Structures are given as structure tokens and as C-alpha cells.
């Protein structure tokens, strides 16, 4: 078997439970950030940053990405970069019109 | 020896297939996120007014349900790989029930809005500001297509549940369940972004 990659790797239930609890804590944090208006002008950025941490946890552990080969991680990075570029360039267009 | 070698299941190759599908899904939902970003930038005040009409409580309950369903789905795959098929099928059943609960709450949310006359092209909606019309349009399209993904996920998991019960999904052959789980987690990730965009914008 290939060393260290997902084929022979079973994440333990304890890890999944820890990830699930972390997701619920982050959910509470994101409500707090938006409702308490701690950082009024940053609330959108803050919410999206917390959402990205949550998405990262789901990807890394629930979707086993942490244990996948670099090739697959690279492909995902490519897809996400394409979307970021698309949104970024559209904003440059709309913002300076 | 040779026979065993030939019969080896290519989990890696099968997994790559679902990942390629998920990449297309990223760009599919990405187009809608792009529209949301542009219109929110243009009509910031209207979007804030629109979001104020969302039910934060129901949205949060649905987020908890979907995050938990992802957790049970991940556990069901680990259970099958550990040879515990009965436990796995129970966890899959729990995942389906949570998916259906999510859709039921979505139904309550939508019917609440429709009762107030807020649905695409409704006379009430068309009297609102342009940005609010766009906000509700995006709300229905994005949560609707996401909800459709949840529904399809429930149907696919039901097939997996059957396959696990009869033993077609087992310790050695679990790729279909793994791919279904990857799809389900992806739908969860999409919701993780939809939630702050529609419910936390105040």
C-alpha cells in the first residue's frame, strides 16, 4: 500500500467529533461577530473568514484532503484560484466602470 | 495472486472522478456567488434590508443540522471501513433524516416568505427597490439549487444505505459510499458560505 495516503488511512471517530465540535464553536463565533457588531465594518470580511476556516475543516478532515496526494490538492487549488481570479477580475471591471 | 491483483479496486481512480465533478460544481455555484458579490457591492443598502427579513434562527438551526449530517456521513464511511456495516447503515439513515429535516425547514422558510407575497415576480416584490428584488431573486435561486443538491444527496444516500445493508458496500468495496460522502460534504461547504451571505448580513 502507498505510504500515508488515504487508501490505508482511517480517521478515528474522535477526530471527527473534535472537528464537528470545532464547527459548532465557529458557528457561534460567526453569529457573535455579526450580532455584537464588534467589528462593524469588518463583519462581512470576518464572517467570510470564519466560513473559510469552517470549509477548510470540512475539506481537510471530513473530505480527507489532508491525507490526499499533492496532485489532488493542486487540482483543487487550481479550481479555487480560477474562481477567485474570475471574481477578482470582474470586480476590477465593475469597480472602475 | 494475479487474480487478486486484477481484482484490486482502484479507489484512487474512482475518487478522482467525483473530485472532477466537484470542481465543475465549484464553478457552477461560483457563478452565482459572483452575481451575489457584484450586486451586493452595487446595492449594499438594499441587500442589508433584504437580509433583515431573513429568519436567523431557522437559518442557524439548518446550519447545525447540515454540519451534524456531514459528521454522521463521515462516521458512516469510517464505520464501513472498520467492517461495521450495521453501524454505518444507521449513520447513513441519520444523515438522510437530517437532510430531510433541512429541507422541511427550508420549506417553512420559503412558505413564510411566499405568504408575505415575497416570491419572484410577485406584485409585492416588484414594488421594492431594485437591489431587494435582486436579493430575493438570488436567495431563491441559490438556496433553491442548494436545496436540490440536498434532495439529490438524500436519494443517493438512500441507495447507498440499501447497498450497505445487502453488503455490496463493504470493508473492501466502499468507493461509492466514499464518493457519496464527498458530494455530501461539498454540499455542506456550499451552505457554510450561503449562511453568512443571506442570514448574517445586518
Amino acid at each position: 500500500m502507498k505510504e500515508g495516503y488515504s487508501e490505508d488511512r482511517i480517521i478515528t471517530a474522535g477526530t471527527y467529533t473534535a472537528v464537528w465540535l470545532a464547527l459548532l464553536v465557529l458557528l457561534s463565533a460567526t453569529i457573535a461577530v455579526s450580532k455584537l457588531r464588534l467589528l462593524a465594518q469588518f463583519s462581512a470580511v470576518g464572517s467570510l473568514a470564519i466560513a473559510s476556516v469552517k470549509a477548510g475543516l470540512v475539506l481537510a478532515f471530513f473530505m480527507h484532503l489532508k491525507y490526499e496526494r499533492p496532485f489532488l490538492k493542486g487540482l483543487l487549488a487550481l479550481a479555487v484560484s480560477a474562481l477567485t481570479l474570475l471574481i477578482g477580475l470582474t470586480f476590477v471591471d465593475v469597480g472602475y466602470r | 495472486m494475479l487474480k487478486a491483483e486484477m481484482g484490486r479496486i482502484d479507489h484512487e481512480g474512482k475518487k478522482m472522478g467525483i473530485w472532477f465533478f466537484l470542481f465543475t460544481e465549484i464553478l457552477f455555484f461560483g457563478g452565482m456567488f459572483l452575481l451575489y458579490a457584484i450586486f451586493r457591492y452595487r446595492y449594499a443598502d438594499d441587500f442589508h434590508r433584504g437580509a433583515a427579513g431573513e429568519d436567523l434562527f431557522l437559518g442557524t438551526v439548518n446550519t447545525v443540522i447540515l454540519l451534524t449530517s456531514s459528521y454522521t456521513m463521515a462516521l458512516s464511511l469510517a464505520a464501513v471501513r472498520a467492517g461495521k456495516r450495521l453501524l454505518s447503515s444507521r449513520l447513513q439513515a441519520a444523515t438522510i433524516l437530517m437532510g430531510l429535516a433541512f429541507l422541511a425547514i427550508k420549506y417553512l422558510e420559503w412558505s413564510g416568505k411566499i405568504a408575505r407575497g415575497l416570491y419572484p415576480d410577485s406584485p409585492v416584490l416588484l414594488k421594492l427597490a431594485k437591489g431587494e428584488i435582486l436579493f430575493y431573486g438570488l436567495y431563491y435561486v441559490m438556496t433553491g439549487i442548494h436545496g436540490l443538491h440536498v434532495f439529490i444527496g438524500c436519494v443517493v444516500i438512500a441507495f447507498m444505505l440499501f447497498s450497505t445493508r445487502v453488503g455490496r458496500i463493504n470493508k473492501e468495496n466502499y468507493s461509492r459510499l466514499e464518493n457519496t460522502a464527498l458530494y455530501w460534504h461539498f454540499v455542506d461547504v456550499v451552505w457554510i458560505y450561503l449562511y453568512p451571505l443571506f442570514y448574517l448580513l445586518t
Side-chain angles (χ1 to χ4, degrees):
Chain A
M1 286 275 173
K2 285 139 271 171
E3 63 295 330
Y5 291 121
S6 69
E7 189 111 350
D8 51 357
R9 198 75 196 237
I10 300 178
I11 301 179
T12 61
T15 308
Y16 286 136
T17 307
V19 170
W20 175 61
L21 290 174
L23 287 170
L24 294 183
V25 169
L26 285 166
L27 174 62
S28 319
T30 194
I31 296 169
V33 165
S34 84
K35 287 294 143 193
L36 300 179
R37 294 159 201 266
L38 294 173
L39 314 150
Q41 66 274 46
F42 296 112
S43 79
V45 179
S47 306
L48 285 179
I50 293 175
S52 296
V53 175
K54 282 160 76 185
L57 282 173
V58 172
L59 280 161
F61 295 99
F62 285 175
M63 297 176 86
H64 302 164
L65 204 67
K66 190 167 183 280
Y67 308 104
E68 295 294 350
R69 9 187 115 248
F71 179 62
L72 183 60
K73 290 179 190 166
L75 284 178
L76 178 65
L78 196 65
V80 173
S81 309
L83 180 61
T84 312
L85 196 68
L86 183 73
I87 293 178
L89 286 177
T90 310
F91 261 94
V92 170
D93 179 20
V94 171
Y96 292 94
R97 222 178 263 182
Chain B
M1 185 79 167
L2 186 64
K3 200 181 167 199
E5 194 69 14
M6 282 168 69
R8 216 178 88 79
I9 297 156
D10 181 12
H11 293 294
E12 290 292 318
K14 290 181 174 183
K15 200 159 45 181
M16 195 60 88
I18 195 77
W19 272 105
F20 276 124
F21 169 67
L22 294 183
F23 294 154
T24 69
E25 290 270 274
I26 289 177
L27 292 175
F28 173 58
F29 278 102
M32 291 181 274
F33 279 110
L34 171 64
L35 275 180
Y36 178 96
I38 298 292
F39 286 136
R40 179 174 169 178
Y41 171 77
R42 280 231 179 125
Y43 304 99
D45 293 339
D46 290 350
F47 266 55
H48 279 73
R49 232 172 296 133
E54 296 291 340
D55 193 323
L56 177 65
F57 176 71
L58 287 182
T60 306
V61 169
N62 253 356
T63 308
V64 173
I65 290 175
L66 215 56
L67 290 174
T68 309
S69 77
S70 236
Y71 169 60
T72 54
M73 195 64 201
L75 286 177
S76 84
L77 179 64
V80 137
R81 293 187 61 177
K84 298 171 186 160
R85 280 198 291 122
L86 183 64
L87 175 63
S88 174
S89 60
R90 283 180 181 157
L91 287 162
Q92 288 170 50
T95 309
I96 295 172
L97 288 178
M98 281 184 266
L100 295 177
F102 178 92
L103 291 174
I105 290 175
K106 201 89 254 171
Y107 170 79
L108 286 179
E109 272 190 72
W110 276 34
S111 47
K113 281 198 184 60
I114 291 167
R116 283 188 285 139
L118 291 169
Y119 53 88
D121 242 12
S122 74
V124 178
L125 188 65
L126 291 178
K127 281 198 201 89
L128 296 177
K130 200 174 173 197
E132 274 186 271
I133 299 174
L134 287 166
F135 176 86
Y136 281 108
L138 283 165
Y139 167 80
Y140 277 112
V141 170
M142 291 175 87
T143 63
I145 289 180
H146 177 267
L148 183 65
H149 276 76
V150 172
F151 177 72
I152 292 169
C154 288
V155 173
V156 176
I157 298 169
F159 279 105
M160 296 306 125
L161 175 56
F162 177 74
S163 296
T164 310
R165 273 291 166 95
V166 299
R168 271 207 297 274
I169 288 175
N170 53 51
K171 202 176 171 185
E172 282 77 37
N173 190 353
Y174 52 81
S175 272
R176 282 188 302 161
L177 183 62
E178 181 170 37
N179 286 355
T180 305
L182 283 170
Y183 168 81
W184 190 258
H185 297 314
F186 174 81
V187 172
D188 189 25
V189 167
V190 172
W191 182 259
I192 285 174
Y193 282 101
L194 287 179
Y195 172 70
L197 293 184
F198 286 109
Y199 297 91
L200 289 181
L201 181 64
T202 45

